[in-house]
Amino acid sequence: MKIGFIGTGVMGRGIINNLLQANYAVVVFNRTKAHAQSVLDNGATWADSPKEIAEAADLVITMVGYPKDVEEQYYGDNGLFAGSHAGQIFVDMTTSTPTLAEQLAVDGEKFDVKVLDAPVSGGDVGAKNGTLTIMAGGDEAAYDSLQPIFNMISKAANRFGVAGRGQHTKMANQIMIAATMLGMSEMMVYAKAADLDVAKVMATLSAGGAQNWSLDNYGPRVLAGDFEPGFYAKHLLKDLRIALDEAAKMNLSLPATDLAEALYTKLAEQKGLGDEGTQALVKLWAQFA
Amino acid sequence: MKIGFIGTGVMGRGIINNLLQANYAVVVFNRTKAHAQSVLDNGATWADSPKEIAEAADLVITMVGYPKDVEEQYYGDNGLFAGSHAGQIFVDMTTSTPTLAEQLAVDGEKFDVKVLDAPVSGGDVGAKNGTLTIMAGGDEAAYDSLQPIFNMISKAANRFGVAGRGQHTKMANQIMIAATMLGMSEMMVYAKAADLDVAKVMATLSAGGAQNWSLDNYGPRVLAGDFEPGFYAKHLLKDLRIALDEAAKMNLSLPATDLAEALYTKLAEQKGLGDEGTQALVKLWAQFA
């Protein structure tokens, strides 16, 4: 089986390398070819457009930046659909809008192509180590046929229903994470202002009802002054805006998510720190500025 | 050693029973005597006022409801200080204000009494099983002398510095918990509105970066329609108000904690659900009302 892969960012490269190691033939496309060089060196081949990828591959995976980038890969004269053939499967692993995921699935049907949404969590480390969590939506038989490949690149893959449901699940994940990042930031700011030993406070909190993954993993980085991105602040901001758009369509008010969007906007767009990790949120307070 | 204990609510009863089982003599007082009956049946003795408790005991522990209740036990003609003797130790385990904790320690010095603040986390189950977490502040030698007793009723006791620092640590804990409860609520509301299998979403989230203790412990209760208090919504609201008062004194803006206070106010004081557990927050949305 030949796999097409569009998007050779840090996530894409990790996944592609795992596919190459499992002896799949992988043909890749990326807007900036230089960013594909390391996977080409590892044995992937190059195609000059999404259309050529679709013509060459049985399965195509896309993992790009923003929903508009996803649209650019699928539509148009040089897009995936233009090069598609009946029975093919496309999988969008970008964290994108449930609405676009639904639209891609509907448009795919016109070409007898199944388009699944399958965003992931687990970050660059998960991509590299094949320990991602995959949250999928779309045609069940197509999903089932991809299990061997999902098993190669993830520790857990689950299908949540029809197209769009994978993206909705990812949005639920981001809503939960954003609130824990807010809480962690305010907790650390309060503890520091009250002149407590913040590391000791975090160790105590982690042993009880306040425990959470962000505190355990990002808390120590903040104290060490490490704001390198495990996950970019600007990407969480993008995700929160998608979640809030979708929530608005469902007439849902999500005030904590609204607040997280406002604070990450301040961090990324007013302070210009969108390329730091999500833990940089604490920099909005003088205690960690 | 004879231990005085004021406050025979669900937390106090659990701690008292563990002290009795360890063969300490325990003398108790409670505003409503009927609520002390079960520990009296287990071997505790009764005193008619805080003053009598102080006269009879070497060490006195207080665990009551609100800061004003704490003041009522320590001050006045029938209060603990009125019956105190030099060298005695008082420990307030109520979650109360850092400011009051500092004041009690200062006033205690006039009687040559050390007053420690030692709020706990772990809830009624932790009190019953002796697995509380104790967050203490106050005189170091007095704290050290109580280690054998703290070991009897907790799985972890830590001192965070001078008087008030135990309460500040507990506030940090509540700030973190409040945000995770907000995030969990919005996540579940979003997932339900998007017609996802919420239990399956929670299981997936718990395996990754969105994992947290509240999600693991309260999420399943919400789905089961179980809003019994592990921790009363009205008590979290009290704690958040203390945290915000203290934050204001430190010129700190904590917008997520502000939001949590507003939502728990709505739940407890407008909807009248303060006697339900903190997980009842989801009832503010139509999806779980």
Side-chain angles (χ1 to χ4, degrees):
Chain A
M1 182 191 258
K2 191 172 224 174
I3 302 176
F5 204 105
I6 298 179
T8 57
V10 64
M11 296 295 294
R13 290 199 298 271
I15 296 170
I16 291 164
N17 284 329
N18 283 318
L19 294 172
L20 290 169
Q21 280 208 308
N23 289 313
Y24 285 101
V26 184
V27 52
V28 303
F29 173 75
N30 194 58
R31 208 157 43 188
T32 308
K33 188 174 178 181
H35 295 166
Q37 196 55 52
S38 70
V39 294
L40 296 175
D41 292 345
N42 289 342
T45 55
W46 178 258
D48 280 322
S49 72
K51 183 185 177 192
E52 284 184 27
I53 291 271
E55 287 166 349
D58 305 291
L59 160 71
V60 180
I61 300 173
T62 51
M63 190 157 214
V64 294
Y66 293 82
K68 65 176 168 45
D69 303 317
V70 176
E71 290 190 65
E72 195 179 307
Q73 307 310 315
Y74 282 79
Y75 294 104
D77 290 348
N78 282 310
L80 285 171
F81 286 133
S84 68
H85 50 270
Q88 212 168 11
I89 303 176
F90 296 162
V91 180
D92 185 29
M93 289 194 159
T94 315
T95 296
S96 170
T97 71
T99 301
L100 178 56
E102 290 163 22
Q103 186 194 316
L104 289 171
V106 168
D107 288 338
E109 290 298 336
K110 298 172 192 165
F111 300 91
D112 202 10
V113 170
K114 301 296 182 197
V115 186
L116 307 181
D117 48 310
V120 303
S121 68
D124 53 346
V125 174
K128 188 177 176 187
N129 297 338
T131 56
L132 294 168
T133 297
I134 296 176
M135 294 161 262
D139 185 80
E140 187 162 11
Y143 172 82
D144 288 343
S145 75
L146 297 180
Q147 281 285 5
I149 289 167
F150 288 159
N151 288 342
M152 207 82 64
I153 61 177
S154 74
K155 66 175 179 184
N158 276 290
R159 178 180 169 274
F160 291 86
V162 298
R165 298 277 174 86
Q167 297 294 355
H168 273 309
T169 302
K170 181 68 188 281
M171 289 303 119
N173 190 74
Q174 304 308 72
I175 288 167
M176 184 72 251
I177 283 180
T180 59
M181 293 306 296
L182 290 191
M184 184 186 89
S185 299
E186 295 195 2
M187 178 277 290
M188 294 184 77
V189 164
Y190 181 98
K192 194 164 179 187
D195 207 19
L196 299 172
D197 177 336
V198 184
K200 192 173 176 179
V201 169
M202 294 195 309
T204 296
L205 267 52
S206 279
Q211 180 277 332
N212 64 85
W213 190 96
S214 294
L215 176 60
D216 294 343
N217 287 273
Y218 289 126
R221 294 194 206 178
V222 169
L223 288 188
D226 173 5
F227 297 100
E228 289 294 308
F231 182 49
Y232 283 111
K234 66 183 178 187
H235 286 166
L236 180 56
L237 177 57
K238 170 202 63 156
D239 297 351
L240 293 174
R241 287 173 176 171
I242 294 172
L244 289 167
D245 278 350
E246 295 292 329
K249 288 178 190 170
M250 299 188 281
N251 289 311
L252 285 183
S253 164
L254 301 178
T257 309
D258 273 328
L259 176 61
E261 193 273 339
L263 293 179
Y264 275 104
T265 294
K266 197 171 169 188
L267 183 72
E269 299 181 355
Q270 291 172 38
K271 293 209 178 272
L273 299 178
D275 285 327
E276 297 202 351
T278 51
Q279 73 274 25
L281 191 66
V282 293
K283 292 187 176 182
L284 293 183
W285 285 267
Q287 281 71 22
F288 290 94
Chain B
M1 182 193 261
K2 192 173 226 175
I3 302 176
F5 205 105
I6 298 180
T8 56
V10 64
M11 296 294 295
R13 290 198 298 271
I15 296 170
I16 291 164
N17 284 330
N18 283 319
L19 294 172
L20 290 170
Q21 280 209 308
N23 289 315
Y24 284 102
V26 184
V27 52
V28 304
F29 172 74
N30 194 57
R31 207 158 43 188
T32 309
K33 188 175 179 183
H35 294 166
Q37 196 54 53
S38 71
V39 295
L40 296 176
D41 292 344
N42 289 344
T45 56
W46 178 257
D48 280 323
S49 71
K51 183 185 178 193
E52 284 184 29
I53 292 270
E55 287 166 350
D58 306 292
L59 160 71
V60 181
I61 299 172
T62 51
M63 189 156 214
V64 294
Y66 293 82
K68 65 175 169 46
D69 303 316
V70 175
E71 289 189 65
E72 195 180 307
Q73 307 310 315
Y74 282 79
Y75 294 104
D77 290 348
N78 282 309
L80 285 170
F81 286 134
S84 68
H85 49 270
Q88 212 168 12
I89 302 175
F90 296 161
V91 180
D92 185 29
M93 288 193 161
T94 315
T95 296
S96 170
T97 71
T99 302
L100 177 56
E102 290 164 23
Q103 186 195 315
L104 289 172
V106 167
D107 289 337
E109 291 298 337
K110 299 171 192 164
F111 301 91
D112 202 10
V113 171
K114 301 296 182 198
V115 186
L116 307 181
D117 48 311
V120 303
S121 68
D124 53 346
V125 174
K128 188 177 176 187
N129 297 339
T131 57
L132 294 168
T133 297
I134 296 176
M135 294 161 262
D139 184 81
E140 188 162 13
Y143 172 83
D144 288 343
S145 75
L146 297 180
Q147 281 285 4
I149 288 167
F150 287 158
N151 289 342
M152 206 82 63
I153 62 176
S154 75
K155 66 175 178 183
N158 276 291
R159 178 180 170 275
F160 291 87
V162 298
R165 297 277 174 86
Q167 297 295 355
H168 273 310
T169 303
K170 181 69 189 279
M171 289 304 119
N173 191 73
Q174 303 308 71
I175 288 167
M176 184 74 249
I177 283 179
T180 61
M181 294 305 297
L182 290 191
M184 185 188 88
S185 299
E186 295 195 2
M187 179 277 289
M188 292 183 77
V189 165
Y190 181 97
K192 195 165 178 187
D195 207 19
L196 299 171
D197 177 336
V198 184
K200 192 173 174 178
V201 169
M202 293 195 309
T204 295
L205 267 53
S206 279
Q211 180 277 334
N212 64 87
W213 190 95
S214 294
L215 177 60
D216 294 342
N217 287 273
Y218 289 126
R221 295 193 204 178
V222 169
L223 288 187
D226 173 6
F227 297 101
E228 289 294 307
F231 182 49
Y232 285 112
K234 67 183 177 187
H235 286 166
L236 180 56
L237 178 57
K238 170 202 66 159
D239 297 351
L240 293 175
R241 287 172 176 171
I242 294 172
L244 289 167
D245 277 351
E246 295 292 329
K249 288 178 189 170
M250 299 189 283
N251 289 313
L252 284 184
S253 164
L254 302 178
T257 309
D258 274 328
L259 177 62
E261 193 273 338
L263 293 180
Y264 275 104
T265 294
K266 197 171 169 189
L267 183 72
E269 299 181 355
Q270 291 173 38
K271 292 207 177 274
L273 298 178
D275 286 326
E276 295 202 351
T278 51
Q279 73 273 25
L281 191 66
V282 293
K283 292 187 176 182
L284 292 183
W285 284 267
Q287 281 70 22
F288 290 93

